[in-house]
Amino acid sequence: MDMNMGYWILEYGKVFCGYLFLMFLWPSVVFHSHLKGKSKTWRFGFCVTVPIVIMNTVVMVLGLFHVLSQWIVCLLFYGSFVLALVKNTAAYLDGKYKSMMEAKFPDVRTLKGKYRELVLVLLFFIVCFKYVKRAAGYLSIDYLKKIKTCNWTKIRVQMKQGIWNLGRVSSSMFWRYGILAIVIIFGMLYFNYGAFQVYSYGYGDLYTHHGWIYALIQGNVFPEGVYPEAMHCFIYCMHTVFGIKVYSILLFLQGIHVAVFLISVYLLLRKVFSWRYTPLFVLMLFLTLDLNNADLIQSMFRLQITLPQEFALPSVCLCALYLTEYLKCGRTSDTVEKKRGIRNYFGDENLFLFMMACAVAAMVHFHTLLMAAVVCTAFAVFEVKKIFKDKYLLPLVSSVLCAGLIAVTPMAGALAQGIPFNASIDWAVSAMGGAESRAIRNQSGNDKDADTIERGNVGDAENAVEDGSEEAVQELQRNEISITATLLRGVAETFDKGYSALYGKSRGGWMLVLTAVAVAFCWLTRRKEKFIRFRETAIGYPPVILGSVLYILIYAAPMIGLPDLLPEGRFFAPGHMMMLGVVMMPIDVLFSGMLHFGKELVLKGASLLLIVGIYGGMIATGNFRGLLFYELSRYNAAAMVTEEIINTFPKYSYTIVSPTDELYPVVQYGWHEELLNFVENINSEGYSIPSEYVFIYVEKKPLLYAQSHFFQGPWWMGEEKYLKPFWDVYSHRYPDSAASQNPEIVAGQVSEEEAAGELPAYENAWLMYLKLPNRSVLESKAYDWCQQFARKHPSVLNVFYEDDAFVCYYFRQDMGSSAYELGME
């Protein structure tokens, strides 16, 4: 087969270019006049929020009115882009070549509207032609003759000056953006790595998400109930506008989009820390420090999978960033604040982006909305006096309400049409009780909440006091002492179930100490004269400290009897960043203090060395990160064969017989027959598959479905160390699955004995693929049928692809006559 890594690199390039167009180029052109003159930070926030809001709104509204079609979406996006491009080009030429235009077209002053723009575009091509002609002239014989007589000494001086200027500009760009780019690319390599190792979706939830995107392609919104669909709308638009396969987008999108999350964290922390490179220290520590908690490994794994929650993570940081920027506007002086009327607060550009970020958080995933609320609370609590001023409060409340209205209106419209909520909403609500998290973390599953028991005893004693019992009074006094002991035990449990559970006792202890030191330092900068000079340095620290503490409390909550607001460690990505921010606060103070005594260039060099030192130090000390995993749902060969079939054979000329894993990748291009249905019907007369080509996928080594398959990789990428700490915990959640370390794969073996066995009775057909014994029987029967069919129809059944673990058979049918009868009896 002509399938190799080059194919997947090409698919990745398509997704990357499509992503850049929809997320950055399209809004930059369409909203050029609005973005002109804005800061890079503001433009970045605009580009990563507003397009998502627009796409979700457009697709959902069209869908609710039953007019959603791909040609309408293409017309809207390409039409707006082309019109904006013409208008922007005309405006540029009108300003730059106004005199030239008036000289060539004397009556241009009387032209207005579209006629003027057409003239300007015409002039644009004239100017382009002029420069092309001039360039061609330099290559003519006359100019070549003049080269011999030119002043080469002067040219060398000019060249040296040009090289010097280029070097100076490059150096400035490197220190401003180059180091950040290196760190971001380093992170992208880590999170993109798995998609080039395992060609499966990587996570079972992506079947559902692919199905919902396919429903959008068919013009159907909310196919399985009301659920935030902004990510699906974005992927739908990318597929519709560029024709990129949905499967390729799901495989690669999050590995690209994770860069936006890392940049968002950088921009938020850039407003927190005094030294400009401290956020890069935090990012580098996040990307290199190893993890020994199963939930953190799971959360890091999710950052490489195209899931709604992870897709919306940048909005969490952007909500906090633009909220603080909005509240900062009155920090200068009361006089300036008084001059700024309340109307100007409503029209504040940072408030607009805060609203857009909130809308994105709500319309992509409800958990990210909760995360944004937690992070924003951590930042807002220190500006509470300002927030409750009318000039701030009314615009802020209005923006939140508007964000909710933008996000909820399509969902409300669907509910009004009788579409119910998706079942996953019920799971999210029930999971907040904390029972599921407690069951996973407590492997024995029979721990009791001591605090609940103590509260019950206190309640019994209080009831007895009402009866006037003297013994009850004494009991209540004893219980008052026990309440104090319970509170102290609660603090200890918070450390044990929070810091210690997340990071281990030693590392968790150090993080708690550093948190306490940071709190003390912030208090000293406000209370002691000796530390006043550090007040500006530490002014942004308290929100990050509080955010890190909330992160610990949210994770420990179900273990200390509190609601599980964000289950399964889902708050890890922003929470862990804030925890590492606390760790880096002493470094920030050090570099900020050294600015007064040393040259900035020296400190820049030291910062670069520290970034490299964090990477090298993690490797040298054995604290370097581990390689992640994918949930293996099919062999790579099966994925490659499917892509080969799609790219080679005419649409809907073939049927693939396989487990469900091939259903959605092939649904827009061919037909699919469930392997279970195939095996159950091959003993029935008259069973056939009416398509020209039939491809039958058989696993000679039946795969243990959805096993956590950990990657192998180069030493500089990561180490093979996450399998045991992860699976020691998650094996209790998935007792029928397993974990494997590449190149090993947990699998069975087809055999005649398995083929002679009976398929077990089932209520849930999915269990026939999920459990290895059932899958082995199923694959063995399919393999045995292929051998019998080959003997019955010599030279009909061919091998399309085969290796030690997987084989794809195929045969061609004459559609002018009846299809082959596949029943063997």
Side-chain angles (χ1 to χ4, degrees), residues 493-510:
E493 281 191 358
T494 301
F495 171 79
D496 184 51
K497 306 300 183 182
Y499 287 95
S500 181
L502 284 167
Y503 300 107
K505 288 187 176 180
S506 177
R507 190 182 293 173
W510 276 108

Side-chain angles (χ1 to χ4, degrees), residues 442-563:
N442 296 322
Q443 297 179 9
S444 61
N446 47 0
D447 283 15
K448 292 184 178 180
D449 194 301
D451 189 45
T452 303
I453 296 172
E454 291 291 344
R455 288 196 298 270
N457 292 338
V458 172
D460 294 340
E462 288 175 344
N463 293 333
V465 170
E466 292 178 359
D467 297 335
S469 171
E470 183 178 347
E471 291 82 2
V473 174
Q474 295 175 357
E475 180 67 19
L476 183 58
Q477 291 174 347
R478 287 193 296 271
N479 281 332
E480 287 176 353
I481 299 174
S482 70
I483 290 172
T484 304
T486 301
L487 291 174
L488 293 174
R489 186 163 56 253
V491 174
E493 281 191 358
T494 301
F495 171 79
D496 184 51
K497 306 300 183 182
Y499 287 95
S500 181
L502 284 167
Y503 300 107
K505 288 187 176 180
S506 177
R507 190 182 293 173
W510 276 108
M511 288 183 171
L512 180 59
V513 169
L514 288 171
T515 302
V517 170
V519 171
F521 179 77
C522 291
W523 182 83
L524 288 171
T525 59
R526 293 181 177 272
R527 301 293 181 181
K528 300 296 182 182
E529 292 184 3
K530 293 182 179 179
F531 291 87
I532 286 179
R533 66 177 181 271
F534 293 106
R535 180 175 294 180
E536 286 299 319
T537 300
I539 196 170
Y541 292 176
V544 175
I545 298 170
L546 178 58
S548 70
V549 174
L550 291 176
Y551 159 58
I552 296 296
L553 290 175
I554 287 171
Y555 184 77
M559 305 304 293
I560 58 178
L562 298 176

Side-chain angles (χ1 to χ4, degrees), residues 650-706:
K651 278 189 174 184
Y652 298 106
S653 65
Y654 54 86
T655 299
I656 294 178
V657 179
S658 74
T660 311
D661 305 275
E662 273 69 38
L663 171 60
Y664 290 115
V666 79
V667 70
Q668 292 178 259
Y669 310 99
W671 306 106
H672 181 266
E673 177 83 351
E674 285 290 335
L675 183 65
L676 176 60
N677 185 64
F678 175 80
V679 169
E680 288 181 332
N681 285 280
I682 52 179
N683 293 325
S684 305
E685 280 190 37
Y687 175 61
S688 62
I689 298 177
S691 62
E692 183 177 359
Y693 297 94
V694 177
F695 296 88
I696 304 171
Y697 290 13
V698 179
E699 295 169 358
K700 295 191 290 185
K701 294 181 178 180
L703 185 70
L704 177 58
Y705 182 81

Side-chain angles (χ1 to χ4, degrees), residues 41-74:
T41 300
W42 200 92
R43 280 182 282 172
F44 172 82
F46 184 94
C47 289
V48 300
T49 56
V50 172
I52 297 175
V53 173
I54 292 174
M55 289 178 216
N56 180 79
T57 304
V58 169
V59 174
M60 289 292 102
V61 169
L62 291 175
L64 290 174
F65 283 98
H66 307 291
V67 291
L68 178 61
S69 67
Q70 292 180 282
W71 73 265
I72 291 178
V73 173
C74 284

Side-chain angles (χ1 to χ4, degrees), residues 11-27 44 47-49 51-52 55 188 231 234-235 237-239 241-242 244 249 252-264 306 310-311 314:
E11 290 297 296
Y12 180 86
K14 292 178 183 178
V15 177
F16 187 80
C17 293
Y19 177 84
L20 290 181
F21 178 86
L22 286 184
M23 193 68 89
F24 294 101
L25 182 58
W26 184 83
F44 172 82
C47 289
V48 300
T49 56
I52 297 175
M55 289 178 216
M188 289 181 67
M231 185 195 79
F234 183 87
I235 296 174
C237 289
M238 184 181 291
H239 166 76
V241 173
F242 296 104
I244 307 171
I249 299 172
F252 296 118
L253 178 62
Q254 184 56 33
I256 298 168
H257 188 62
V258 74
V260 173
F261 169 64
L262 297 176
I263 295 173
S264 300
T306 307
E310 281 58 41
F311 186 80

